[in-house]
């Protein structure tokens, strides 16, 4: 049986009937009416009490700089593609954190299938 502490606050987007949780764990979806949404930030973007990032200020700044660089590269390469200088390019607009965050936690020992 799944034992998850759920908050009383519900997600506010279409189609969701899930509560938020402050605990990260794997759950069996058959044991719950809806899968809780894990989060560490409040609605203002601040860390919720008791939550930590586990990253140093330098690490966070480095990740932010890489996300910014990726958005600049996207603009340049998309313009190049529209001018016909390169044949194909897909941007990461709005997904920079997913790309940089995943890159931050993998190492050379991980197998990446792309």
């Amino acid at each position: 049986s799944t034992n998850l502490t759920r908050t009383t606050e519900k997600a506010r987007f279409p189609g969701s009937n899930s509560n938020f949780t402050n605990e990260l764990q794997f759950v069996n979806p058959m044991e719950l009416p809806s899968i809780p949404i894990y989060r560490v930030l409040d609605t203002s973007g601040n860390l919720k009490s008791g939550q930590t990032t586990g990253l140093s200020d330098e690490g966070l700044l480095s990740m932010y700089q890489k996300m910014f660089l990726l958005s600049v590269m996207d603009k340049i390469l998309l313009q190049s593609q529209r001018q016909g200088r390169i044949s194909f390019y897909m941007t990461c607009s709005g997904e920079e954190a997913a790309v940089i965050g995943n890159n931050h936690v993998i190492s050379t020992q991980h197998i990446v299938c792309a």
Side-chain angles (χ1 to χ4, degrees):
S1 169
T2 303
N3 240 350
L4 258 181
T5 305
R6 293 194 250 178
T7 64
T8 57
E9 187 180 0
K10 286 195 171 283
R12 293 178 293 191
F13 45 87
S16 176
N17 188 29
S18 295
N19 292 79
F20 290 106
T21 182
N22 299 328
E23 299 174 42
L24 182 60
Q25 73 180 72
F26 290 100
V27 298
N28 181 348
M30 303 305 286
E31 295 178 1
L32 299 170
S34 63
I35 298 173
I37 301 167
Y38 174 70
R39 70 175 183 178
V40 295
L41 301 177
D42 63 19
T43 54
S44 298
N46 300 310
L47 278 174
K48 294 179 72 61
S49 73
Q51 299 290 334
T52 62
T53 63
L55 299 168
S56 67
D57 288 347
E58 295 81 22
L60 290 170
L61 181 59
S62 172
M63 290 173 65
Y64 181 78
Q65 290 169 333
K66 289 173 185 172
M67 288 189 293
F68 182 76
L69 177 62
L70 181 55
S71 70
V72 171
M73 288 175 47
D74 268 352
K75 290 175 186 158
I76 293 169
L77 290 168
L78 182 60
Q79 288 173 356
S80 297
Q81 187 263 331
R82 289 188 174 170
Q83 294 168 2
R85 294 191 286 160
I86 59 175
S87 62
F88 183 76
Y89 184 74
M90 290 182 64
T91 65
C92 293
S93 299
E95 300 176 0
E96 295 89 351
V99 174
I100 301 303
N102 279 311
N103 183 57
H104 183 75
V105 297
I106 63 173
S107 71
T108 56
Q109 285 129 15
H110 289 103
I111 297 173
V112 178
C113 301

